[in-house]
Amino acid sequence: GAVVSQHPSWVICKSGTSVKIECRSLDFQATTMFWYRQFPKQSLMLMATSNEGSKATYEQGVEKDKFLINHASLTLSTLTVTSAHPEDSSFYICSARAPSGGLGEQYFGPGTRLTVT
Amino acid sequence: AQSVTQLDSQVPVFEEAPVELRCNYSSSVSVYLFWYVQYPNQGLQLLLKYLSGSTLVKGINGFEAEFNKSQTSFHLRKPSVHISDTAEYFCAVITTGTASKLTFGTGTRLQVTL
């Protein structure tokens, strides 16, 4: 099946620094990628949707200047958490949808755990 | 707006016993329903989905779910679980007009023991 990877799987950074998380579709081209955030014991919350070559669409309440998303190619999307603070600590999950993907056919990465100290 | 409720955060069950994981949704429009499974250190994997047609949907690994419109439910069932079914299970919904955006429940941890 389709595989989506994320790197790094976990990262610890100091408050005020920026962190970049990569999401790659390994064996298919992803026209659309999604970024989610998951807090402990809570559901996945959609942060933004990105289409290759265009600006990401952010969900209400998500700061686009803080969470920079770049979908520069059909196999790579990046999420950069700028000027990270402890409250940004969370589990970030990306998913990708192939052009032929049916409704709900999203392939998920294993997630990245971010801890801001 | 739509929402998904998974009332059970954890479900312990013995191997070879049947299991039901509950999912209820709220929406004022038509919905499409999904169950995803997340094994430790892996991404979410689609178990099954209901788009239309028969309300009983069969998925991978012997799981099935039944869409009940009157009760706004989409419970997941398996007649006999295995140790390898231990994982986190997420119910999700897409409503018409939301541009294929999935709304997830909070997840249910299925713990299968001998």
Side-chain angles (χ1 to χ4, degrees):
Chain A
V3 179
V4 175
S5 70
Q6 279 185 244
H7 177 79
S9 55
W10 60 271
V11 58
I12 300 173
C13 71
K14 292 187 176 181
S15 186
T17 62
S18 295
V19 174
K20 180 184 284 188
I21 302 170
E22 292 186 349
C23 176
R24 293 181 185 273
S25 55
L26 297 185
D27 48 4
F28 68 100
Q29 293 183 327
T31 51
T32 304
M33 286 187 169
F34 304 86
W35 285 95
Y36 295 86
R37 185 173 180 177
Q38 185 180 26
F39 291 102
K41 306 292 185 184
Q42 295 188 31
S43 63
L44 281 73
M45 180 191 75
L46 180 64
M47 299 175 66
T49 303
S50 73
N51 293 294
E52 187 267 337
S54 60
K55 290 184 178 181
T57 302
Y58 290 81
E59 295 299 300
Q60 192 173 9
V62 178
E63 299 176 62
K64 61 181 180 181
D65 294 331
K66 181 168 187 61
F67 298 100
L68 301 179
I69 292 171
N70 185 289
H71 192 164
S73 77
L74 286 172
T75 60
L76 173 65
S77 176
T78 60
L79 167 67
T80 301
V81 183
T82 63
S83 186
H85 291 286
E87 57 265 31
D88 298 325
S89 298
S90 191
F91 196 56
Y92 293 88
I93 301 172
C94 74
S95 73
R97 188 169 65 206
S100 58
L103 204 57
E105 291 281 3
Q106 293 182 27
Y107 302 99
F108 288 81
T112 297
R113 185 161 300 283
L114 170 63
T115 301
V116 184
T117 60
Chain B
Q2 67 278 7
S3 66
V4 179
T5 302
Q6 292 181 250
L7 289 173
D8 305 307
S9 59
Q10 290 189 68
V11 174
V13 63
F14 290 113
E15 191 174 38
E16 297 184 3
V19 70
E20 179 179 84
L21 305 183
R22 297 181 293 169
C23 172
N24 288 87
Y25 68 91
S26 173
S27 174
S28 58
V29 297
S30 299
V31 297
Y32 306 110
L33 295 153
F34 307 84
W35 275 99
Y36 287 85
V37 59
Q38 185 178 31
Y39 298 104
N41 301 315
Q42 295 185 32
L44 277 71
Q45 180 183 1
L46 181 65
L47 265 181
L48 48 79
K49 61 183 176 182
Y50 171 78
L51 302 182
S52 64
S54 173
T55 57
L56 183 62
V57 181
K58 293 190 183 298
I60 61 173
N61 302 340
F63 284 93
E64 64 179 30
E66 185 157 20
F67 171 57
N68 188 318
K69 188 175 181 179
S70 63
Q71 297 187 7
T72 61
S73 68
F74 190 56
H75 300 333
L76 181 70
R77 296 190 294 258
K78 186 169 183 178
S80 176
V81 296
H82 301 287
I83 291 284
S84 59
D85 292 323
T86 295
E88 191 84 20
Y89 292 80
F90 292 93
C91 182
V93 62
I94 288 176
T95 58
T96 55
T98 59
S100 296
K101 294 179 183 177
L102 285 163
T103 298
F104 287 90
T106 52
T108 297
R109 170 76 177 170
L110 176 63
Q111 183 69 50
V112 182
T113 55
L114 294 172

